[in-house]
Each structure stands twice: as structure tokens, then as C-alpha cells.
């Protein structure tokens, strides 16, 4: 089935699994993202269940969702063992 013009088909959604300690001003990183099964609502600060550890520089209101196209993902499949 082909998506209608102007729509986005989402294959996988990832949200933070755990906050990781890092030295410096912020103190933690939310980079440890893992896939979830099923739909995830998009809210003011991003995906439900996700976190941005530093909202001043990496996220904030309506800035915290990152999309990759299939062509962006393909070069990394070998590195991570799949899409």
C-alpha cells in the first residue's frame, strides 16, 4: 500500500532505554535509544516515553523528534546487523 502524499510511514520508533552518566555540564546522556513495538504518541517534548537530557541544546518544545529516510538508514545496516 502506498502512503498518501504528505504522509509519513514509520517503520520503527525508538525511545530512551536508560540515561547514561557523562562528565560535563549536563551529567547524563539520553542517547541510549531502543525500539518499541506499536504506536507512540508525539507530544510537545517529543515521543511519549523518550527523554532529552539537555533540552536547551538537544530538544525542547516541538524539536525532539528525528526522522531518518530508508536511504539514510541503509548505509548503517551492516554496522548494526539490520535496519
Amino acid at each position: 500500500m502506498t502512503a498518501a502524499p504528505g504522509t509519513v510511514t514509520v517503520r520503527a520508533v525508538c525511545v530512551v532505554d536508560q540515561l547514561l552518566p557523562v562528565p560535563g555540564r549536563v551529567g547524563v546522556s539520553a542517547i541510549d535509544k531502543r525500539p518499541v513495538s506499536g504506536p507512540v504518541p508525539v507530544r510537545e517534548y517529543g515521543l511519549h516515553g523518550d527523554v532529552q537530557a539537555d533540552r536547551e541544546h538537544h530538544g525542547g518544545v516541538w524539536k525532539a523528534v528525528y526522522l531518518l529516510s530508508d536511504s539514510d538508514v541503509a548505509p548503517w545496516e551492516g554496522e548494526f546487523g539490520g535496519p
Side-chain angles (χ1 to χ4, degrees):
M1 182 163 107
T2 303
T7 64
V8 175
T9 301
V10 176
R11 297 177 188 260
V13 173
C14 298
V15 299
V16 72
D17 186 62
Q18 62 180 328
L19 294 175
L20 302 173
V22 294
R25 183 180 52 77
V26 176
V28 296
S29 171
I31 194 63
D32 187 6
K33 309 289 187 185
R34 307 288 172 97
V36 297
S37 60
V40 175
V42 177
R43 300 207 168 129
E44 186 178 22
Y45 283 97
L47 301 173
H48 178 74
D50 198 17
V51 175
Q52 305 92 50
D54 179 3
R55 288 187 178 160
E56 182 180 351
H57 299 100
H58 302 282
V61 177
W62 302 117
K63 297 179 184 176
V65 176
Y66 187 75
L67 301 174
L68 294 170
S69 68
D70 286 344
S71 63
D72 291 328
V73 172
W76 292 98
E77 290 181 356
E79 186 78 24
F80 292 101

